[in-house]
Amino acid sequence: MHLFKLPFKKIREKEQLLSAEINVPEHVAIIMDGNGRWAQKRGLPRIAGHREGMDNVKRVVKAANHMGIHILTLYAFSTENWKRPTSEVEYIMKLPIDFLQHYLPELIEENVRIETIGEIERLPKNTRAAILRAKDQTANNTGLILNIAINYGSRGEMLHSIKEIYQEVQEGKYSINDITEETLSKHLYTKNYQDPDLLIRTSGEVRLSNFLLWQSAYSELWFTETLWPDFGPEEFGKAIQDFQQRKRRFGGI
Ligand code: FPP
């Protein structure tokens, strides 16, 4: 098997062929954990860790794009994160605005498309507006899809999907016997994307924390002690190389 080595400048040119040849995951999902501890270790307020974490998003997005990954789903804010102190929540809510102000031109140059999953209706108005603008501006880009999970929770997503299906059954669009796993998948926020091939969590925590529970049924899992702000392109590359050596059987032999 070919294992790629950074940098991957040429990879996108023959994307389909190369992806198949070297087994680059199509969809990578990351739980970006450890910003608070990163800051505390340096005697800084937790928000300094979130700020550094935001800068790292740009580095990892660029690396993913150059590797030929198609979708990168990043867990930026869960439906449970509202329980944090108001000042921290307010700071995190401003990060997408800052991020897009600083990095959108560069991401557009990189042909990146911005998408989101989660209930963005509940976000502060200016955060939502910045996100919607970025989605609009990048809608025709054909490079990496940067899919930001914000105000996202997997159980809530499944519940939402079930309610939609129930409604459609009530409307007579199909009967209960027609409901399959695919029906549920097609009602999730991720309906346009294939399931993640690889799911990474930083900071030493080994759990999924209500992230893509349905979609990760057959994802390869990769955990590292590294805190998110320190999880740079090099370690990301190692995770991808590790993925390339896994034997995926999807329940078969
Ligand atoms: C978890 O670390 C991190 C978060 C809840 C926020 C993540 C947000 C970013 C990395 C910025 C995202 C920005 C954009 C634009 C996508 P933690 O605070 O739980 O860390 P701890 O476990 O060390 O306390």
Side-chain angles (χ1 to χ4, degrees):
M1 182 186 299
H2 293 60
L3 294 184
F4 67 76
K5 291 195 169 51
L6 287 168
F8 300 98
K9 293 216 162 44
K10 293 267 169 213
I11 282 186
R12 287 210 76 81
E13 287 168 19
K14 290 183 185 166
E15 189 180 292
Q16 295 292 7
L17 182 68
L18 278 171
S19 293
E21 199 176 303
I22 62 179
N23 191 24
V24 172
E26 284 269 320
H27 184 177
V28 177
I30 309 183
I31 302 177
M32 309 181 287
D33 198 7
N35 292 346
R37 277 165 284 167
W38 183 93
Q40 277 159 353
K41 266 172 62 179
R42 288 162 177 77
L44 298 169
R46 290 177 53 82
I47 57 169
H50 293 314
R51 172 78 213 186
E52 194 63 29
M54 179 195 92
D55 288 335
N56 196 42
V57 167
K58 200 262 309 204
R59 295 190 280 271
V60 171
V61 166
K62 282 183 81 169
N65 196 24
H66 295 172
M67 285 178 205
I69 291 166
H70 284 142
I71 309 157
L72 181 68
T73 299
L74 299 180
Y75 206 7
F77 193 83
S78 76
T79 44
E80 289 71 38
N81 286 151
W82 295 106
K83 293 181 204 150
R84 294 185 176 213
T86 313
S87 57
E88 185 171 336
V89 169
E90 282 176 356
Y91 187 84
I92 297 175
M93 284 298 147
K94 289 203 180 91
L95 285 179
I97 303 174
D98 258 32
F99 177 78
L100 294 167
Q101 244 163 23
H102 276 84
Y103 299 128
L104 190 60
E106 204 174 325
L107 296 181
I108 289 176
E109 238 171 72
E110 291 264 329
N111 201 16
V112 168
R113 189 172 118 206
I114 312 277
E115 287 291 345
T116 58
I117 51 172
E119 297 286 341
I120 62 165
E121 296 70 25
R122 247 199 90 190
L123 302 181
K125 227 165 138 187
N126 47 359
T127 307
R128 196 173 62 235
I131 290 173
L132 291 176
R133 235 181 355 258
K135 281 187 181 187
D136 206 46
Q137 278 178 272
T138 61
N140 296 321
N141 290 356
T142 55
L144 175 89
I145 297 172
L146 166 57
N147 184 31
I148 305 171
I150 187 160
N151 194 22
Y152 172 85
S154 190
R155 287 180 170 185
E157 177 189 34
M158 285 192 256
L159 203 58
H160 175 262
S161 170
I162 290 163
K163 285 180 182 172
E164 272 189 5
I165 294 167
Y166 177 76
Q167 183 77 32
E168 287 167 15
V169 169
Q170 291 282 91
E171 288 164 5
K173 290 190 178 159
Y174 43 86
S175 89
I176 196 158
N177 296 324
D178 299 325
I179 299 172
T180 62
E181 289 186 8
E182 207 196 337
T183 317
L184 200 103
S185 293
K186 290 290 169 211
H187 285 80
L188 297 172
Y189 302 136
T190 50
K191 56 175 156 270
N192 296 323
Y193 315 128
Q194 68 176 71
D195 290 342
D197 302 293
L198 173 64
L199 192 153
I200 296 172
R201 183 172 189 150
T202 60
S203 92
E205 307 296 346
V206 185
R207 55 177 173 268
L208 292 179
S209 300
N210 205 14
F211 186 49
L212 302 176
L213 301 180
W214 174 273
Q215 299 88 334
S216 65
Y218 283 101
S219 302
E220 295 297 322
L221 306 180
W222 201 83
F223 298 98
T224 174
E225 294 285 327
T226 307
L227 305 174
W228 170 252
D230 293 329
F231 182 79
E234 204 171 310
E235 192 172 5
F236 186 42
K238 278 189 197 148
I240 304 300
Q241 286 184 344
D242 193 8
F243 169 84
Q244 290 175 314
Q245 302 189 54
R246 305 253 181 119
K247 301 266 175 290
R248 303 183 78 193
R249 290 189 290 272
F250 300 95
I253 52 169

